[in-house]
Amino acid sequence: MKILFTMIIFINFILADSSNAQNKLIAEDCVKLALKNSNLIKSTELSIVQAEKKIAENKAQQLPSVNITGLYTRIGKITSFTMPIGEGGKKRTLKFGTPNKVNFNINLQFPVFTWGKISDAVEISEIGKKLSEVERKSRISEVTNQVLRAYYSVLLNQEIIRLNRKNLKRAENFLKLVERRFKSGGIPRLEFLRARVQFKNTQNSLYDSRSNLIKSKIFLSRLIGRNYKNINISGSLLYSPVSLDEQKLIQQALSTRSELNIINIRQQMCQTQISLAKNSKKPNIFFTSGYNVMNGFDPMNPERFIDNWNAGVQFVFPVFDGSISNYKKQEAEIDLQIINLQKKELKDIIKMQVHQAVITLKQTENNINTQSENIALAKEALEIAEKQYQNGLVSSLDILNAQQTLAQSEFLHIRAIFNYIMAKLDLCKTIEDYSLFLNKKD
């Protein structure tokens, strides 16, 4: 019976551990959840659908338009007179209308030639769709950047908790050692109090780091749409150096940055608007046709319905519009000049951002190497201080200082790795490519 009970507990433990492992989120999982739940991205997707409807609306102008109208009129008095008609002088009454007048019309109009106005309108709406698509790509990049920063902030706080626990264990062991020597009369009370204060401070640091972890999870939970209490992050802060070719990165940024692509699209739109303004002064040709049914037309039988049809060509030439088209053309040309200046300025800014990101990466990389060396030195110093303390050559203050130096070096090292990751994210944001963190297929 005991064996069976033990097996059940073991199986439940394995299943629970497996379930926890499956619920752990990696960076790709967090990004996918955020992209799925982002209202900003959903709004840009609706903008794309809206732009598609605008394209369809403008293309519909190329199709014929058909209008059906019907009119019923009740007339109070009808003019009439009686006169002899035909052989024998038989009198007939002639009525000019009917008290119940009905008029039914079907009219068709088809744009035969509009001098490119409709095609320009379609092109502008298609450019608008491209603009919405680029804005969606920009929003995806922004959300991805926010999520990765939040994800690595959680990992940083988890790592700080791990270091604080290690420091607390170290401070606790030293406090026990000092307490034994104090009780035996080997050291004064001052040294015992110093060790106790150090232990309390380390406890407080651990509490603060746990609070910071909760706050970082709350921020991440807002992005991915989950309760922060149910967030379990998998991963660790690792230093993964990358090889950088600044010129290639600049070219990549110039080809992928959404802001620059938006400016290129705005250039196309301005050029099309200039063409549309020019063509607005040119003539249009329409084919028109109609079919009409009405009564009250025959004075001999006003109640009888008579039908007729017509067809023709309509020529519309805007002779004078108060120079509105000229002003629109000039406005579009000025907009194009402004956009060209903005494009040149943005290119310079992008080049500067890439250069700064590369410098920051090299700077943080050097800092990581420095802190790694400092940790090794601080560990050696602590070992020497502990041995000398056991031999009575140094006081507890030297031990405390050595512990603080080691703890500070460890914190600075992990912070340097985090800063390196943030610098890589800055570079990814500059080139709008996060393949350094995510699988390219994602």
Side-chain angles (χ1 to χ4, degrees), residues 219-332:
F219 181 72
L220 179 61
S221 68
R222 186 186 69 84
L223 295 174
I224 66 176
R226 283 195 178 183
N227 191 308
Y228 77 94
K229 295 179 180 179
N230 299 327
I231 293 179
N232 193 5
I233 297 300
S234 175
S236 57
L237 291 179
L238 298 176
Y239 168 51
S240 301
V242 293
S243 58
L244 303 173
D245 187 329
E246 187 172 332
Q247 292 304 315
K248 286 185 178 180
L249 291 172
I250 289 175
Q251 294 302 317
Q252 183 178 358
L254 293 176
S255 64
T256 58
R257 279 287 287 270
S258 296
E259 298 99 315
L260 196 56
N261 289 331
I262 288 174
I263 284 184
N264 292 332
I265 292 172
R266 288 176 58 198
Q267 279 182 320
Q268 298 176 22
M269 186 171 288
C270 282
Q271 291 168 352
T272 306
Q273 287 173 339
I274 292 172
S275 173
L276 187 61
K278 289 179 180 178
N279 293 334
S280 64
K281 297 186 296 182
K282 296 178 181 178
N284 301 319
I285 300 175
F286 299 92
F287 170 78
T288 61
S289 179
Y291 177 74
N292 172 261
V293 177
M294 63 181 295
N295 65 354
F297 189 77
D298 185 357
M300 300 296 293
N301 186 9
E303 300 298 333
R304 184 168 70 92
F305 283 89
I306 299 174
D307 65 333
N308 201 355
W309 64 271
N310 63 78
V313 177
Q314 183 183 18
F315 179 81
V316 181
F317 186 80
V319 179
F320 181 70
D321 63 352
S323 298
I324 292 176
S325 57
N326 286 330
Y327 292 139
K328 287 183 177 179
K329 174 177 171 291
Q330 292 172 9
E331 288 175 9

Side-chain angles (χ1 to χ4, degrees), residues 125-140:
S125 58
E126 288 175 343
I127 292 172
K129 181 185 176 183
K130 292 180 182 178
L131 189 62
S132 297
E133 290 172 344
V134 173
E135 287 177 349
R136 179 180 181 274
K137 177 177 176 290
S138 177
R139 293 291 179 271
I140 289 175

Side-chain angles (χ1 to χ4, degrees), residues 132 178 181 207 364 376:
S132 297
V178 172
R181 296 189 65 178
Y207 176 81
T364 53

Side-chain angles (χ1 to χ4, degrees), residues 45-99:
E45 290 172 347
L46 289 175
S47 298
I48 294 174
V49 175
Q50 186 180 41
E52 291 173 347
K53 302 301 180 184
K54 189 65 177 178
I55 293 173
E57 175 189 339
N58 288 324
K59 285 184 176 180
Q61 297 180 51
Q62 300 171 336
L63 302 175
S65 61
V66 179
N67 296 312
I68 298 177
T69 60
L71 176 65
Y72 169 79
T73 306
R74 176 67 181 177
I75 301 175
K77 292 183 179 181
I78 302 298
T79 302
S80 65
F81 64 92
T82 303
M83 60 180 294
I85 297 177
E87 296 180 1
K90 185 178 180 180
K91 293 183 179 181
R92 297 287 299 272
T93 300
L94 302 178
K95 295 181 179 180
F96 294 94
T98 174

